[in-house]
Amino acid sequence: FYLTPPQVNSILKANEYSFKVPEFDGKNVSSVLGFDSNQLPANAPIEDRRSAATCLQTRGMLLGVFDGHAGCACAQAVSERLFYYIAVSLLPHETLLEIENAVESGRALLPILQWHKHPNDYFSKEASKLYFNSLRTYWQELIDLNSGETTDVKEALINAFKRLDNDISLEAQVGDPNSFLNYLVLRVAFSGATACVAHVDGVDLHIANTGDSRAMLGVQEEDGSWSAVNLSYDHNAQNEHEVERVKMEHPKSEEKTLVKQDRLLGLLMPFRAFGDVKFKWSIELQKRVVESGPDQLNDNEYTKFIPPNYHTPPYLTAEPEVIHHKLRPQDKFLVLATDGLWETMHRQDVARIVGEYLTGVHHQQPIAVGGYKVTLGQMHGLLTERRARISSVFEDQNAATHLIRHAVGNNEFGTVDHERLSKMLSLPEELARMYRDDITIIVVQFNSHVIGACQNEE
Amino acid sequence: AVGMFLRLLSDVRWRAANPKWRRTTCCRRSTSSTEEPHPISLPAQAHVVICGGGIMGTSVAYHLSKMGWKDIVLLEQGRLAAGTTRFCAGIVSTARHVSIELKMADYSNKLYQQLEQETGVNTGYTKTGSISLAQTQDRLISLKRIASSLNVMGIPCEIITPKQVAQLHPLINIHDLVGAMYVPEDALVSSASVSLALATAASRNGVQIHERTSVSHVSIQKGRVTGVETDRGQIQCQYFVNCAGQWAYELGHSGEEPVNIPLHACEHFYLLTHPLKEPLASNLPTIVDPDGRIYIRNWQGGILSGGFEKNPKPLFTEGRNQLEIQNLQEDWDHFEPLLSALLRRMPDLEALQIMQLVNCPESFTPDMRCIMGESPTVRGYFVLAGMNSAGISYGGGAGKYLAEWMVNGYPSENVWSLDLKRFGALQSSRTFLRHRVMEVMPLMCDLKVPRWDFQTGRQLRTSPLYDRLDAQGARWMEKHGFERVKYFVPPGKDLLDLDQSKTFYKPDWFDIVGSEVKCCKEAVCVIDMSSFTKFEISSTGDQALESLQYLFSNDLDVPVGHVVHTGMLNEKGGYENDCSIARLSKRSFFMISPTDQQVHCWAWLKNRLPDDSNLTMEDVTWKYTALNLIGPRAVDVLSELSYAPMTPQHFPSLFCKEMSVGYANGIRVMSITHTGEPGFMLYIPIEYALHVYNEVMNMGQKYGIRNAGYYALRSLRIEKFFAFWGQDLDAFTTPMECGREFQVKLEKGMQFVGQEALLEQKQKGVYKRFTMFILEDHDTDTDLWPWWGEPIFRNGRYVGKTTSSAYSYSLERHVCLGFVHHFDEKTGEELVVTTDFINQGEYEISIGGQRFQAKAKLYPFSSLFTHRRRKDEVELSGYQRE
């Protein structure tokens, strides 16, 4: 079984999406030129989600990738809701009042977000009312709390993350008279999702990360080469600080059982996540909710299963770690991606491949024979291969697609090998997950001119 | 696995300064004096200073000293033969398209062959022969044309079958070949050694050679070279020769008075390999595979193979500061298509081990021809450069011609197509050069077909009517940077695209041009001929008339308003220019010359007109738009537009008058058309151009007027036997040899340049004669078309070559123009050519090796002339060159 190059391309491009920040008066005054995003499923259905939106009542743009586990319900809900929570957290008091008044009097609501969605990125219609009510409660509380201080982005991000996770938890505890919705909120709460979200406003870039997706900045050095700067820390067993944090939060007696086989309680890879109430609720609460829940939930072995050594919940939090970065002209792009990408590629290679793709300069290391024994035939083979690699750049109109092509198709020489690519993409569903994870990528391209100008102003 | 370690080693660079293959040991002695840490000081004075110690500089020094010149100094900024010359592939090939290049290569080959014996320096000369392969029938035609040129010059050469190719070379894959050309006497040399051998001989003849001496600029006073400034002091000299190769452009621009030498370097790559298991014989023929864009020669038991890629890499556009030659990198990715072509041609080489990929920049010129001759602006400043990667083939011959030029005032062959003066300042823009050489370099391997136009560097000089004409379907060609119309594609009609239109047979525009010709003959056509060079020469007294009478062969003391066709001759009576001169007033003249005369004619006149402030010459080319109204109804159109009678009674042939046309006044109208057809040339001040054109087209409508182009003009002039300067006429052709005695007034009462030579010719007779040939058994639809340069055979013996050709729509035959010589059957000595000799022969013209019967004529068909002319003045002039 073999896929032809056009078949490969149609698989790779099925989910690609590009957004270019519109120009006003022939000029783009935003620090963001636009973004490319794409997803390649390994699970069926895919458990990753992505979101991108422009804040309409404040400045800035939000982008995020969400890696779901134990189903896609939680990732789906977070992808729909999180940006509203962030946007609301950022809104000034007057705007919140205005919105509340509009809702109260049944007037048209100011739009808060302009979404940039691929046709496959759906929103749940059934839950929208429920989600809206929770959100409204949140902003009513914010109005009551009016501190009079200007909103700090970092704080807003943390609050939004925590609030949404809290709402997910509450909705599941309260339940819903509509049985479909009731089942939905439970599925959302019992599944989990990591989130890696970027907020870009002028030269201020904030990354809020929960879990093991990753944000990486592509920097062009003076000599034109590319390097990578991490803007997030993975929340998993490889992160010492994270292990330390978890241990601090629980009694010493649990030290040995908290992290086993590099997993939280020997079960969960990410150390922070949305949902996953099995790691947050008390055993009593879990039992009560499951028992009173619908039959589907009761029949599910996973939901009924209580993690071993479960003594002092919660073990898991959705609180993000926020990193603030001032953009510089040499910061050319940001890559947000789920761990499916980072498992296969080193960030340095990611920086180079995207950088070369975006600049259109396909710096290949020049070949030199030196004093070594190379035959004409070997050289010819190598050159033909390199040519194929260059032409693969031109096949892609989307940086994220280009990155996926490399992530899946790279051979040991760092060249896209069509045969390999074809094999990887034609794996049957049940095998695919063993060779690769879902991959979701957003590549944000920055506007160096605007960033340079902002920098000079400051 | 290979890929892996190549990637790891990518920072290991090849160092060019390690040429293991340079065989120069025996030459060191000759130049040892200059290799000491403290070189001997430069002389304060010299007759000639040559800048550049490559093959060109050493060849010029060698030939100058051989011809007896003394006090010659050669300066080289680095080491002798260390630039492009050292990296050159060393192939001496005579397979050239242009006859002067072929002669240079032939001479070089013969010179190099005996050079070792003459100098004792081992030059590595090996006669290997060369095989040029054809993958297509068109390529084979192209090779056959070269073969017939080589054969009539006495250079052995044959067209062979693919099987024969396989017998001559064991490694060649012949399955895709249709034939080949074998030149058994082509050779290989070590180019650096040849250069050092020439330097050795020159130094024995007294030439002083100084290495590590760079020229910073050339001193010029009153338009003459007076000396050079170097980093080691100053040398006063009368002559300077710029042989600086790819630095020639910069050197030319380093002084106060710039000398434009339009050339630009491109990277050029070739591959060297280790020997084969069974090393290749050193006499194995060199292979040229133009369809694969590569050449392959044997090299130390292995091969050396390079080529001319489609996407060249120009370099040094901003000057030499960027990189030195030694630091150029190998670029394997760039070489990949050539490597593929090589492995396709010789699949057995797969296992052959690479030694290195050499990056050796070569300089290219805007028209693929080298650059030689004297600067038009600075006397005593000579140039020899821009070899388009054929330096070793041309080196000997080019050096010889330049030396002759300096010593005798003119080389022994017509070198106009190589003359620096064919270019002007307009070809010296770096952007133009960069773009043009990117087109020229791939062209080295492209099929050379008739009527080919460069595509880059266009639309530089245009007529004010350009957009109007373009909108009406004009197709353009370029001459001296000026866009000229070839023909007009009627609405709704499509021609082939550029690549597919390349043909040696009947072209796709045949019927289009035919209908333009028909309109010229039956109604009226308008051709924009603004590109002509136009000078005005005037004086306060009689100085203008007196000077022109001396410089031109015809009598210019004619009544005001007369137009005179005349040659501008050199001392030997040859045409330096062929022009029409109108006497505007007693003291001022308007001179029309061919487009590409702008630089040459200006320099020629400037150098010869007296230095008199009362005599002025102005180049007014840009001030006038020229429209040629050709055809029997031209007279009607013009008289209606001017309310003036234009009939021959009122406006006889060869008259010039300023008059109004439409609303516009001051239009110079001349009753000439450069075709022998009735009509007028209108010289229009440019701001009136659009108005006059519109008026002419509107008024002409009822007479059936239409636009026409130069192809129609060419067909008309050739069927009337009109010679064109630059195509048929050159500095080696006199009016006597082309039937234009009537344009020479030997008894005009005063001396003129060339008079003595013409008088002698008149008494003794001529040694060649311009002749018109009508092809008899040639099928226009299916046979190869003649072009120019086709051999002419009289009674089966070679007597000369054609210089131009065209299809005559009136005669429905092809007409070729060319020169007939009379070679003694036994000695080959040139004899006088008489009218009887011409008339009593049976002629054949050989096109691509196939001979066609031709009828020779010394006078045009009188039936083709429809117009009465002024007494004994038949208009015989035209200026186009295809």
Side-chain angles (χ1 to χ4, degrees), chain A residues 216 226-228 333 335 341-342 344-357 389 402-403 406-407 410-415, chain B residues 7:
Chain A
M216 182 211 89
W226 295 94
S227 61
F333 59 88
V335 178
L341 174 72
W342 307 111
T344 57
M345 285 187 97
H346 190 266
R347 60 192 162 100
Q348 191 55 47
D349 291 329
V350 172
R352 182 178 55 79
I353 288 166
V354 176
E356 287 171 6
Y357 173 84
R389 176 159 138 199
H402 188 62
L403 206 42
H406 274 273
N410 264 9
N411 59 15
E412 58 268 43
F413 303 116
T415 313
Chain B
R7 286 209 306 153

mmCIF file of all heavy atoms in Angstrom, chain A residues 216 226-228 333 335 341-342 344-357 389 402-403 406-407 410-415, chain B residues 7:
data_model
loop_
_atom_site.group_PDB
_atom_site.id
_atom_site.type_symbol
_atom_site.label_atom_id
_atom_site.label_comp_id
_atom_site.label_asym_id
_atom_site.label_seq_id
_atom_site.Cartn_x
_atom_site.Cartn_y
_atom_site.Cartn_z
ATOM 1 N N MET A 216 7.509 27.907 21.709
ATOM 2 C CA MET A 216 8.909 28.127 21.380
ATOM 3 C C MET A 216 9.016 29.326 20.453
ATOM 4 O O MET A 216 8.250 29.473 19.508
ATOM 5 C CB MET A 216 9.460 26.891 20.688
ATOM 6 C CG MET A 216 10.911 26.987 20.336
ATOM 7 S SD MET A 216 11.231 26.042 18.842
ATOM 8 C CE MET A 216 10.911 27.309 17.636
ATOM 9 N N TRP A 226 19.212 30.327 12.692
ATOM 10 C CA TRP A 226 18.009 30.291 13.526
ATOM 11 C C TRP A 226 18.269 29.619 14.847
ATOM 12 O O TRP A 226 18.939 28.597 14.909
ATOM 13 C CB TRP A 226 16.887 29.551 12.782
ATOM 14 C CG TRP A 226 16.480 30.293 11.565
ATOM 15 C CD1 TRP A 226 16.956 30.095 10.298
ATOM 16 C CD2 TRP A 226 15.567 31.384 11.485
ATOM 17 N NE1 TRP A 226 16.393 31.004 9.445
ATOM 18 C CE2 TRP A 226 15.529 31.799 10.134
ATOM 19 C CE3 TRP A 226 14.789 32.048 12.425
ATOM 20 C CZ2 TRP A 226 14.737 32.855 9.712
ATOM 21 C CZ3 TRP A 226 13.989 33.097 11.996
ATOM 22 C CH2 TRP A 226 13.972 33.493 10.660
ATOM 23 N N SER A 227 17.722 30.159 15.908
ATOM 24 C CA SER A 227 17.810 29.470 17.189
ATOM 25 C C SER A 227 16.445 29.497 17.860
ATOM 26 O O SER A 227 15.573 30.281 17.498
ATOM 27 C CB SER A 227 18.883 30.109 18.074
ATOM 28 O OG SER A 227 18.546 31.454 18.310
ATOM 29 N N ALA A 228 16.300 28.623 18.870
ATOM 30 C CA ALA A 228 15.011 28.462 19.529
ATOM 31 C C ALA A 228 15.100 28.922 20.971
ATOM 32 O O ALA A 228 16.100 28.681 21.645
ATOM 33 C CB ALA A 228 14.602 26.995 19.482
ATOM 34 N N PHE A 333 9.159 34.350 14.910
ATOM 35 C CA PHE A 333 7.931 33.557 14.947
ATOM 36 C C PHE A 333 7.812 32.785 16.257
ATOM 37 O O PHE A 333 8.792 32.627 16.991
ATOM 38 C CB PHE A 333 7.856 32.598 13.758
ATOM 39 C CG PHE A 333 8.998 31.624 13.691
ATOM 40 C CD1 PHE A 333 8.931 30.407 14.348
ATOM 41 C CD2 PHE A 333 10.142 31.927 12.974
ATOM 42 C CE1 PHE A 333 9.978 29.512 14.294
ATOM 43 C CE2 PHE A 333 11.202 31.036 12.911
ATOM 44 C CZ PHE A 333 11.122 29.823 13.577
ATOM 45 N N VAL A 335 6.139 29.172 17.828
ATOM 46 C CA VAL A 335 5.521 27.883 17.523
ATOM 47 C C VAL A 335 4.830 27.377 18.786
ATOM 48 O O VAL A 335 5.459 27.255 19.836
ATOM 49 C CB VAL A 335 6.559 26.845 17.053
ATOM 50 C CG1 VAL A 335 5.894 25.505 16.786
ATOM 51 C CG2 VAL A 335 7.283 27.327 15.811
ATOM 52 N N LEU A 341 4.488 16.919 18.348
ATOM 53 C CA LEU A 341 5.592 17.466 17.556
ATOM 54 C C LEU A 341 6.910 17.319 18.300
ATOM 55 O O LEU A 341 7.896 16.848 17.748
ATOM 56 C CB LEU A 341 5.347 18.938 17.243
ATOM 57 C CG LEU A 341 6.525 19.639 16.542
ATOM 58 C CD1 LEU A 341 6.644 19.146 15.104
ATOM 59 C CD2 LEU A 341 6.389 21.144 16.576
ATOM 60 N N TRP A 342 6.885 17.707 19.585
ATOM 61 C CA TRP A 342 8.161 17.784 20.317
ATOM 62 C C TRP A 342 8.757 16.412 20.575
ATOM 63 O O TRP A 342 9.952 16.297 20.805
ATOM 64 C CB TRP A 342 7.935 18.558 21.622
ATOM 65 C CG TRP A 342 7.277 19.892 21.384
ATOM 66 C CD1 TRP A 342 6.023 20.253 21.733
ATOM 67 C CD2 TRP A 342 7.829 21.028 20.695
ATOM 68 N NE1 TRP A 342 5.748 21.526 21.326
ATOM 69 C CE2 TRP A 342 6.841 22.034 20.680
ATOM 70 C CE3 TRP A 342 9.054 21.287 20.084
ATOM 71 C CZ2 TRP A 342 7.046 23.278 20.080
ATOM 72 C CZ3 TRP A 342 9.260 22.522 19.502
ATOM 73 C CH2 TRP A 342 8.264 23.504 19.500
ATOM 74 N N THR A 344 8.989 14.187 18.287
ATOM 75 C CA THR A 344 9.714 13.761 17.092
ATOM 76 C C THR A 344 10.795 14.735 16.661
ATOM 77 O O THR A 344 11.692 14.361 15.933
ATOM 78 C CB THR A 344 8.755 13.574 15.905
ATOM 79 O OG1 THR A 344 8.074 14.820 15.706
ATOM 80 C CG2 THR A 344 7.760 12.482 16.160
ATOM 81 N N MET A 345 10.693 15.975 17.091
ATOM 82 C CA MET A 345 11.678 16.938 16.604
ATOM 83 C C MET A 345 12.269 17.756 17.726
ATOM 84 O O MET A 345 11.581 18.180 18.654
ATOM 85 C CB MET A 345 11.017 17.916 15.627
ATOM 86 C CG MET A 345 10.748 17.299 14.288
ATOM 87 S SD MET A 345 10.178 18.553 13.162
ATOM 88 C CE MET A 345 11.680 18.929 12.357
ATOM 89 N N HIS A 346 13.552 18.026 17.589
ATOM 90 C CA HIS A 346 14.223 18.907 18.527
ATOM 91 C C HIS A 346 13.833 20.340 18.200
ATOM 92 O O HIS A 346 13.645 20.692 17.043
ATOM 93 C CB HIS A 346 15.736 18.731 18.410
ATOM 94 C CG HIS A 346 16.478 19.428 19.512
ATOM 95 N ND1 HIS A 346 16.976 20.697 19.359
ATOM 96 C CD2 HIS A 346 16.790 19.033 20.778
ATOM 97 C CE1 HIS A 346 17.567 21.070 20.482
ATOM 98 N NE2 HIS A 346 17.469 20.065 21.370
ATOM 99 N N ARG A 347 13.731 21.176 19.242
ATOM 100 C CA ARG A 347 13.261 22.541 18.991
ATOM 101 C C ARG A 347 14.195 23.305 18.057
ATOM 102 O O ARG A 347 13.776 24.168 17.320
ATOM 103 C CB ARG A 347 13.081 23.287 20.317
ATOM 104 C CG ARG A 347 14.335 23.407 21.136
ATOM 105 C CD ARG A 347 13.990 23.880 22.545
ATOM 106 N NE ARG A 347 15.065 23.602 23.462
ATOM 107 C CZ ARG A 347 15.952 24.535 23.851
ATOM 108 N NH1 ARG A 347 15.874 25.741 23.389
ATOM 109 N NH2 ARG A 347 16.908 24.216 24.687
ATOM 110 N N GLN A 348 15.508 22.969 18.116
ATOM 111 C CA GLN A 348 16.456 23.648 17.233
ATOM 112 C C GLN A 348 16.117 23.373 15.753
ATOM 113 O O GLN A 348 16.175 24.259 14.906
ATOM 114 C CB GLN A 348 17.877 23.177 17.567
ATOM 115 C CG GLN A 348 18.972 23.993 16.912
ATOM 116 C CD GLN A 348 18.848 25.483 17.236
ATOM 117 O OE1 GLN A 348 18.660 25.872 18.380
ATOM 118 N NE2 GLN A 348 18.911 26.313 16.213
ATOM 119 N N ASP A 349 15.763 22.129 15.465
ATOM 120 C CA ASP A 349 15.373 21.791 14.089
ATOM 121 C C ASP A 349 14.074 22.481 13.702
ATOM 122 O O ASP A 349 13.895 22.919 12.563
ATOM 123 C CB ASP A 349 15.223 20.268 13.931
ATOM 124 C CG ASP A 349 16.559 19.559 14.032
ATOM 125 O OD1 ASP A 349 17.568 20.192 13.627
ATOM 126 O OD2 ASP A 349 16.595 18.423 14.525
ATOM 127 N N VAL A 350 13.164 22.563 14.683
ATOM 128 C CA VAL A 350 11.903 23.252 14.416
ATOM 129 C C VAL A 350 12.179 24.700 14.039
ATOM 130 O O VAL A 350 11.658 25.229 13.049
ATOM 131 C CB VAL A 350 10.975 23.180 15.648
ATOM 132 C CG1 VAL A 350 9.751 24.068 15.442
ATOM 133 C CG2 VAL A 350 10.542 21.736 15.908
ATOM 134 N N ALA A 351 13.059 25.346 14.806
ATOM 135 C CA ALA A 351 13.372 26.747 14.540
ATOM 136 C C ALA A 351 13.966 26.894 13.140
ATOM 137 O O ALA A 351 13.596 27.800 12.390
ATOM 138 C CB ALA A 351 14.352 27.266 15.587
ATOM 139 N N ARG A 352 14.856 26.011 12.793
ATOM 140 C CA ARG A 352 15.518 26.127 11.494
ATOM 141 C C ARG A 352 14.533 25.877 10.347
ATOM 142 O O ARG A 352 14.457 26.654 9.388
ATOM 143 C CB ARG A 352 16.680 25.131 11.399
ATOM 144 C CG ARG A 352 17.455 25.222 10.102
ATOM 145 C CD ARG A 352 18.620 24.239 10.084
ATOM 146 N NE ARG A 352 18.182 22.865 10.345
ATOM 147 C CZ ARG A 352 17.613 22.090 9.414
ATOM 148 N NH1 ARG A 352 17.415 22.541 8.208
ATOM 149 N NH2 ARG A 352 17.235 20.862 9.721
ATOM 150 N N ILE A 353 13.756 24.823 10.464
ATOM 151 C CA ILE A 353 12.850 24.476 9.363
ATOM 152 C C ILE A 353 11.814 25.566 9.145
ATOM 153 O O ILE A 353 11.575 25.994 8.022
ATOM 154 C CB ILE A 353 12.189 23.104 9.645
ATOM 155 C CG1 ILE A 353 13.226 21.998 9.467
ATOM 156 C CG2 ILE A 353 10.997 22.884 8.704
ATOM 157 C CD1 ILE A 353 12.807 20.662 10.022
ATOM 158 N N VAL A 354 11.236 26.061 10.235
ATOM 159 C CA VAL A 354 10.232 27.121 10.083
ATOM 160 C C VAL A 354 10.897 28.408 9.611
ATOM 161 O O VAL A 354 10.402 29.084 8.712
ATOM 162 C CB VAL A 354 9.484 27.363 11.410
ATOM 163 C CG1 VAL A 354 8.527 28.533 11.273
ATOM 164 C CG2 VAL A 354 8.725 26.108 11.815
ATOM 165 N N GLY A 355 12.039 28.723 10.191
ATOM 166 C CA GLY A 355 12.737 29.955 9.822
ATOM 167 C C GLY A 355 13.078 29.962 8.347
ATOM 168 O O GLY A 355 12.821 30.942 7.646
ATOM 169 N N GLU A 356 13.632 28.874 7.878
ATOM 170 C CA GLU A 356 13.990 28.814 6.471
ATOM 171 C C GLU A 356 12.752 28.829 5.594
ATOM 172 O O GLU A 356 12.746 29.412 4.519
ATOM 173 C CB GLU A 356 14.836 27.566 6.194
ATOM 174 C CG GLU A 356 16.241 27.721 6.758
ATOM 175 C CD GLU A 356 17.044 26.441 6.700
ATOM 176 O OE1 GLU A 356 16.550 25.455 6.115
ATOM 177 O OE2 GLU A 356 18.166 26.434 7.241
ATOM 178 N N TYR A 357 11.730 28.191 6.071
ATOM 179 C CA TYR A 357 10.497 28.196 5.296
ATOM 180 C C TYR A 357 9.943 29.615 5.185
ATOM 181 O O TYR A 357 9.576 30.074 4.109
ATOM 182 C CB TYR A 357 9.457 27.287 5.945
ATOM 183 C CG TYR A 357 8.117 27.400 5.274
ATOM 184 C CD1 TYR A 357 7.852 26.656 4.132
ATOM 185 C CD2 TYR A 357 7.148 28.282 5.735
ATOM 186 C CE1 TYR A 357 6.653 26.783 3.485
ATOM 187 C CE2 TYR A 357 5.946 28.412 5.091
ATOM 188 C CZ TYR A 357 5.694 27.653 3.965
ATOM 189 O OH TYR A 357 4.505 27.795 3.308
ATOM 190 N N ARG A 389 14.141 17.724 -1.346
ATOM 191 C CA ARG A 389 13.875 18.393 -0.092
ATOM 192 C C ARG A 389 13.500 19.860 -0.345
ATOM 193 O O ARG A 389 12.571 20.387 0.245
ATOM 194 C CB ARG A 389 15.127 18.297 0.755
ATOM 195 C CG ARG A 389 15.059 19.029 2.046
ATOM 196 C CD ARG A 389 16.102 18.417 2.954
ATOM 197 N NE ARG A 389 16.819 19.411 3.691
ATOM 198 C CZ ARG A 389 18.001 19.176 4.256
ATOM 199 N NH1 ARG A 389 18.601 18.015 4.085
ATOM 200 N NH2 ARG A 389 18.598 20.097 4.958
ATOM 201 N N HIS A 402 4.276 22.355 6.689
ATOM 202 C CA HIS A 402 5.666 22.059 6.360
ATOM 203 C C HIS A 402 6.370 21.378 7.533
ATOM 204 O O HIS A 402 7.119 20.422 7.359
ATOM 205 C CB HIS A 402 6.364 23.370 5.992
ATOM 206 C CG HIS A 402 7.740 23.162 5.453
ATOM 207 N ND1 HIS A 402 7.970 22.444 4.295
ATOM 208 C CD2 HIS A 402 8.954 23.548 5.915
ATOM 209 C CE1 HIS A 402 9.274 22.408 4.069
ATOM 210 N NE2 HIS A 402 9.885 23.069 5.035
ATOM 211 N N LEU A 403 6.067 21.862 8.716
ATOM 212 C CA LEU A 403 6.665 21.291 9.914
ATOM 213 C C LEU A 403 6.167 19.855 10.133
ATOM 214 O O LEU A 403 6.933 18.967 10.480
ATOM 215 C CB LEU A 403 6.279 22.183 11.106
ATOM 216 C CG LEU A 403 7.182 22.232 12.325
ATOM 217 C CD1 LEU A 403 8.644 22.291 11.935
ATOM 218 C CD2 LEU A 403 6.802 23.439 13.169
ATOM 219 N N HIS A 406 7.891 17.455 7.916
ATOM 220 C CA HIS A 406 9.215 17.084 8.429
ATOM 221 C C HIS A 406 9.096 16.173 9.635
ATOM 222 O O HIS A 406 9.840 15.208 9.765
ATOM 223 C CB HIS A 406 10.006 18.339 8.795
ATOM 224 C CG HIS A 406 10.735 18.920 7.623
ATOM 225 N ND1 HIS A 406 11.987 18.520 7.259
ATOM 226 C CD2 HIS A 406 10.364 19.848 6.720
ATOM 227 C CE1 HIS A 406 12.375 19.187 6.195
ATOM 228 N NE2 HIS A 406 11.397 20.002 5.840
ATOM 229 N N ALA A 407 8.182 16.481 10.517
ATOM 230 C CA ALA A 407 8.057 15.712 11.752
ATOM 231 C C ALA A 407 7.751 14.249 11.433
ATOM 232 O O ALA A 407 8.271 13.346 12.072
ATOM 233 C CB ALA A 407 6.952 16.301 12.622
ATOM 234 N N ASN A 410 10.741 12.891 8.155
ATOM 235 C CA ASN A 410 12.197 13.025 8.172
ATOM 236 C C ASN A 410 12.900 11.688 8.311
ATOM 237 O O ASN A 410 12.529 10.861 9.132
ATOM 238 C CB ASN A 410 12.626 13.934 9.326
ATOM 239 C CG ASN A 410 12.837 15.353 8.866
ATOM 240 O OD1 ASN A 410 12.497 15.695 7.730
ATOM 241 N ND2 ASN A 410 13.395 16.169 9.730
ATOM 242 N N ASN A 411 13.923 11.524 7.504
ATOM 243 C CA ASN A 411 14.783 10.364 7.676
ATOM 244 C C ASN A 411 15.973 10.769 8.535
ATOM 245 O O ASN A 411 16.034 11.879 9.052
ATOM 246 C CB ASN A 411 15.235 9.814 6.322
ATOM 247 C CG ASN A 411 16.000 10.863 5.530
ATOM 248 O OD1 ASN A 411 16.416 11.876 6.075
ATOM 249 N ND2 ASN A 411 16.173 10.612 4.256
ATOM 250 N N GLU A 412 16.933 9.883 8.649
ATOM 251 C CA GLU A 412 18.049 10.176 9.564
ATOM 252 C C GLU A 412 18.920 11.335 9.098
ATOM 253 O O GLU A 412 19.706 11.878 9.840
ATOM 254 C CB GLU A 412 18.896 8.904 9.793
ATOM 255 C CG GLU A 412 19.463 8.318 8.553
ATOM 256 C CD GLU A 412 18.555 7.243 7.938
ATOM 257 O OE1 GLU A 412 17.317 7.428 7.867
ATOM 258 O OE2 GLU A 412 19.100 6.218 7.532
ATOM 259 N N PHE A 413 18.775 11.733 7.810
ATOM 260 C CA PHE A 413 19.575 12.864 7.332
ATOM 261 C C PHE A 413 18.848 14.193 7.504
ATOM 262 O O PHE A 413 19.326 15.228 7.066
ATOM 263 C CB PHE A 413 19.901 12.712 5.837
ATOM 264 C CG PHE A 413 20.609 11.442 5.522
ATOM 265 C CD1 PHE A 413 20.018 10.490 4.705
ATOM 266 C CD2 PHE A 413 21.870 11.195 6.033
ATOM 267 C CE1 PHE A 413 20.675 9.318 4.413
ATOM 268 C CE2 PHE A 413 22.524 10.010 5.746
ATOM 269 C CZ PHE A 413 21.928 9.075 4.937
ATOM 270 N N GLY A 414 17.669 14.166 8.095
ATOM 271 C CA GLY A 414 16.926 15.410 8.215
ATOM 272 C C GLY A 414 16.261 15.804 6.921
ATOM 273 O O GLY A 414 15.921 16.942 6.700
ATOM 274 N N THR A 415 16.088 14.835 6.035
ATOM 275 C CA THR A 415 15.448 15.107 4.754
ATOM 276 C C THR A 415 14.087 14.445 4.739
ATOM 277 O O THR A 415 13.945 13.341 5.262
ATOM 278 C CB THR A 415 16.274 14.482 3.615
ATOM 279 O OG1 THR A 415 17.624 14.818 3.833
ATOM 280 C CG2 THR A 415 15.812 14.989 2.269
ATOM 281 N N ARG B 7 27.597 16.045 5.341
ATOM 282 C CA ARG B 7 26.969 17.109 6.122
ATOM 283 C C ARG B 7 27.861 17.527 7.269
ATOM 284 O O ARG B 7 27.987 18.678 7.604
ATOM 285 C CB ARG B 7 25.627 16.623 6.659
ATOM 286 C CG ARG B 7 24.572 16.549 5.571
ATOM 287 C CD ARG B 7 23.207 16.756 6.132
ATOM 288 N NE ARG B 7 22.948 15.830 7.223
ATOM 289 C CZ ARG B 7 22.103 16.095 8.204
ATOM 290 N NH1 ARG B 7 21.463 17.233 8.202
ATOM 291 N NH2 ARG B 7 21.889 15.229 9.149
#
